[in-house]
Amino acid sequence: MKSKIYITRKLPDYIIKKYEEKYEITMWNQAETPVPRDVLLKEVADADALFSTLSEEINDELFEVGKNLKVVSNLAVGFDNIDLKAAHKYGVPVTNTPDVLTETTADLTFALLMATARRLIEGSKCIEENKWENWAPFMLAGTDVHHKTIGIVGMGRIGEAVAKRAKGFNMNIIYHNRSRKADFEIAVEADYYDFDELIEEADFVVSLLPLTNETKEKFNKAVFKKMKNSAIFINVSRGGVVNEGDLYNALVSEEIRAAGLDVFADEPIQNDHPLVSLDNVVALPHIGSASVETREKMINLCFDNIDAVLSGKKPLTEI
Ligand code: DGY
């Protein structure tokens, strides 16, 4: 009998086909909408493997129902949707998708930084709304990226890839992390700063922090107050690391210049979200790793992890 894999989103047939010969694959029938909780709990009851996304809460309740589960393979590098203690308690290994999305997410981080600094979305809207009447010396004048100081908070693989891009723009690179990275510092001529020092010094503050109890709302009123009035805040990690009300106030009171956000505390957001009403915010719908090539790699890695565990081997990227 084939082992059952339950997948919480509809994935393209050309990918699924490769695995169907070996496994019984059941999928939620929609790509854009998360599986309802009751359907998930029903499906997981007889599944050997769960292929999940960041939209599902993987917790005690789920493991309690999923008595056959041998692995949970999560389509993301971040894993704040997973209660690892519960997984451990039930003896189920959990995997994520590191490395394969590093460069793509760094590209998006830099794109967001540039779009925010140079007001690209405002410029595009200006034409769309037929508001471009004349050229003017300071029309949509943004701020330079080159030769500015980028402060990266959370220096993992994506942070390093962002720093390499920043070096190409002749930026001064400073970073804060739980541990120092000597080789990286030499390779991109980066300097390690205390969090508070970085916040005060950086022209661009880039958050790549995972969401944990320690990082929850790390960027709050007091932190935004310490930033330069000209600072631009970029967040591509998790919305929960920011107090969004405090960010809104900091932007409105011009304590900081602008923000580029790919992630929000409670996703998905709608256009009535206060931050979206601000011209100095560039908001994206959590598309950091969303290139076709990378999403295919992430999906394949999820399957490789499942395949390894169901074949009695060690998962490739266990958390
Ligand atoms: C991740 O991998 O954690 C991203 O946020 C989702 O692609």
Side-chain angles (χ1 to χ4, degrees):
M1 214 175 70
K2 290 180 185 174
S3 300
K4 172 177 166 180
I5 303 175
Y6 184 68
I7 307 176
T8 62
R9 286 300 168 97
K10 182 159 173 44
L11 300 179
D13 288 342
Y14 73 90
I15 298 184
I16 296 303
K17 254 201 215 134
K18 292 190 277 183
Y19 302 94
E20 269 178 340
E21 217 168 278
K22 195 163 173 192
Y23 295 109
E24 180 198 326
I25 296 180
T26 313
M27 274 189 292
W28 172 235
N29 59 13
Q30 291 176 48
E32 311 277 328
T33 320
V35 58
R37 188 74 181 170
D38 58 328
V39 177
L40 173 62
L41 294 179
K42 195 166 152 275
E43 291 288 355
V44 97
D46 62 346
D48 297 284
L50 177 64
F51 182 134
S52 57
T53 71
L54 48 76
S55 309
E56 288 82 44
E57 205 182 322
I58 309 295
N59 57 8
D60 251 297
E61 179 193 39
L62 182 133
F63 290 113
E64 187 55 42
V65 177
K67 296 271 190 238
N68 283 345
L69 277 183
K70 292 162 191 74
V71 57
V72 172
S73 190
N74 201 48
L75 185 72
V77 68
F79 46 85
D80 46 286
N81 60 316
I82 299 177
D83 181 345
L84 289 178
K85 269 199 195 130
H88 190 70
K89 185 169 106 193
Y90 287 85
V92 180
V94 178
T95 64
N96 66 344
T97 58
D99 298 322
V100 290
L101 49 63
T102 299
E103 298 294 332
T104 302
T105 309
D107 281 349
L108 191 279
T109 309
F110 222 81
L112 187 52
L113 184 153
M114 294 196 67
T116 312
R118 297 299 307 272
R119 306 175 64 182
L120 297 193
I121 310 302
E122 284 177 87
S124 176
K125 258 197 223 154
C126 159
I127 294 182
E128 253 172 59
E129 294 169 3
N130 236 0
K131 286 186 179 153
W132 185 22
E133 283 165 5
N134 288 300
W135 182 91
F138 285 97
M139 183 184 74
L140 287 170
T143 186
D144 281 333
V145 170
H146 64 88
H147 295 96
K148 293 283 179 68
T149 295
I150 184 171
I152 301 174
V153 184
M155 186 51 73
R157 303 173 188 88
I158 298 171
E160 290 190 22
V162 170
K164 282 186 200 143
R165 283 155 180 76
K167 189 167 166 61
F169 278 75
N170 291 317
M171 295 181 90
N172 174 38
I173 303 164
I174 62 179
Y175 77 103
H176 178 75
N177 197 43
R178 273 184 312 188
S179 55
R180 284 186 69 155
K181 300 198 155 181
D183 291 350
F184 158 78
E185 286 180 24
I186 295 165
V188 295
E189 295 170 78
D191 289 316
Y192 182 86
Y193 272 51
D194 282 342
F195 180 72
D196 284 345
E197 284 171 2
L198 178 145
I199 290 304
E200 283 168 18
E201 190 64 28
D203 298 304
F204 294 89
V205 176
V206 178
S207 161
L208 288 165
L209 284 177
L211 177 60
T212 63
N213 288 338
E214 290 78 54
T215 63
K216 195 167 167 22
E217 301 196 355
K218 175 102 178 157
F219 294 94
N220 52 31
K221 188 173 175 186
V223 169
F224 292 123
K225 226 183 178 60
K226 283 191 189 137
M227 290 185 191
K228 295 179 181 174
N229 294 142
S230 57
I232 290 182
F233 176 66
I234 304 292
N235 188 12
V236 277
S237 57
R238 287 293 182 264
V241 304
V242 179
N243 180 311
E244 289 180 345
D246 291 350
L247 173 58
Y248 177 86
N249 291 336
L251 287 161
V252 170
S253 60
E254 297 179 14
E255 248 163 40
I256 67 170
R257 183 198 295 263
L261 309 168
D262 184 42
V263 286
F264 296 85
D266 195 8
E267 297 176 359
I269 59 160
Q270 308 298 319
N271 63 3
D272 58 357
H273 189 292
L275 284 165
V276 175
S277 67
L278 303 178
D279 286 339
N280 53 350
V281 168
V282 176
L284 298 177
H286 203 147
I287 54 169
S289 61
S291 73
V292 174
E293 298 92 327
T294 289
R295 285 290 154 86
E296 286 177 350
K297 284 183 198 153
M298 291 166 69
I299 291 169
N300 286 330
L301 179 54
C302 284
F303 274 115
D304 288 347
N305 274 311
I306 291 175
D307 195 45
V309 175
L310 296 184
S311 315
K313 298 187 204 118
K314 266 174 80 80
L316 284 77
T317 50
E318 184 169 0
I319 298 166

